[in-house]
Amino acid sequence: MLPEDKFCPSCAAPLEPKEVAGRQRPVCPKCGRVVYYDPKVAAASIIEREGKVLMVKRAIEPGYGLWSIPGGYVDRGEVVEEAAVREVWEETGLKVEIQHMVGLFSEHGHPVVVAVFAAREVGGDLKAGVETLDLGFFSPDGLPDLAFPRDGQMLARWQEMQALQGSPDAG
Ligand SMILES: [Zn+2]
């Protein structure tokens, strides 16, 4: 259980792990409430310049000092595409617009679901934000050390879509 889930959200009694319908979940022994974990949604953007993609070197955990596609968590009530655009602006100083979705990425046992978009620059100036140590454009075949291995899968999917479109500048 996560530290923040030590107590029942309904009656504040200490939670206990218990099997519910075949899975271990935190259960309140006092009022019977079962705590279910929701996934977290993140949005990331792939921004291309001449065949290279924009990557950011993270100044925050997880993955401090490692590189990722620009992105972050979607706030509750926020439109996912707007979160993707906002994160690019905060992390890289670039204004972008969403072109199309690349995919929705999730994996067994992982709390974060990532919506990945292809986006194109429409303005701004490239500069590292407060959550970014450095940034740069990299060939998908020569990426720096990744904070999240899934970024490699996202870029591979993006490359497949680019190839299907027939031109890196299409769309
Ligand atoms: Zn309770």
Side-chain angles (χ1 to χ4, degrees):
M1 283 191 286
L2 301 170
E4 60 265 38
D5 297 308
K6 273 194 280 204
F7 301 101
C8 175
S10 297
C11 75
L15 294 167
E16 294 174 359
K18 193 176 168 188
E19 189 171 309
V20 179
R23 289 185 65 175
Q24 286 285 321
R25 296 188 190 278
V27 176
C28 178
K30 194 172 162 195
C31 74
R33 175 154 176 184
V34 181
V35 175
Y36 294 92
Y37 297 125
D38 295 326
K40 279 190 76 80
V41 179
S45 298
I46 298 174
I47 301 144
E48 184 235 332
R49 275 187 190 174
E50 295 168 347
K52 296 181 174 180
V53 295
L54 182 58
M55 304 287 291
V56 297
K57 190 175 188 180
R58 297 170 61 80
I60 51 169
E61 297 290 352
Y64 183 96
L66 298 173
W67 294 78
S68 69
I69 300 167
Y73 292 122
V74 180
D75 287 329
R76 185 173 290 192
E78 188 177 26
V79 172
V80 176
E81 288 85 348
E82 290 176 5
V85 169
R86 173 180 57 73
E87 289 287 345
V88 172
W89 166 247
E90 290 174 1
E91 293 182 351
T92 76
L94 289 186
K95 299 268 191 193
V96 297
E97 66 181 21
I98 300 297
Q99 294 173 285
H100 59 84
M101 193 176 208
V102 174
L104 195 59
F105 293 80
S106 59
E107 60 189 275
H108 288 292
H110 198 289
V112 182
V113 176
V114 188
V116 180
F117 300 95
R120 74 166 150 238
E121 295 179 54
V122 292
D125 291 304
L126 200 60
K127 72 172 195 305
V130 293
E131 296 183 351
T132 310
L133 295 171
D134 196 5
L135 36 71
F137 286 84
F138 294 86
S139 165
D141 301 319
L143 295 173
D145 290 334
L146 297 178
F148 313 110
R150 272 195 289 190
D151 284 22
Q153 299 169 28
M154 296 165 188
L155 289 166
R157 178 90 58 89
W158 174 78
Q159 281 184 297
E160 288 168 18
M161 295 174 98
Q162 296 287 105
L164 287 173
Q165 284 180 340
S167 160
D169 296 318

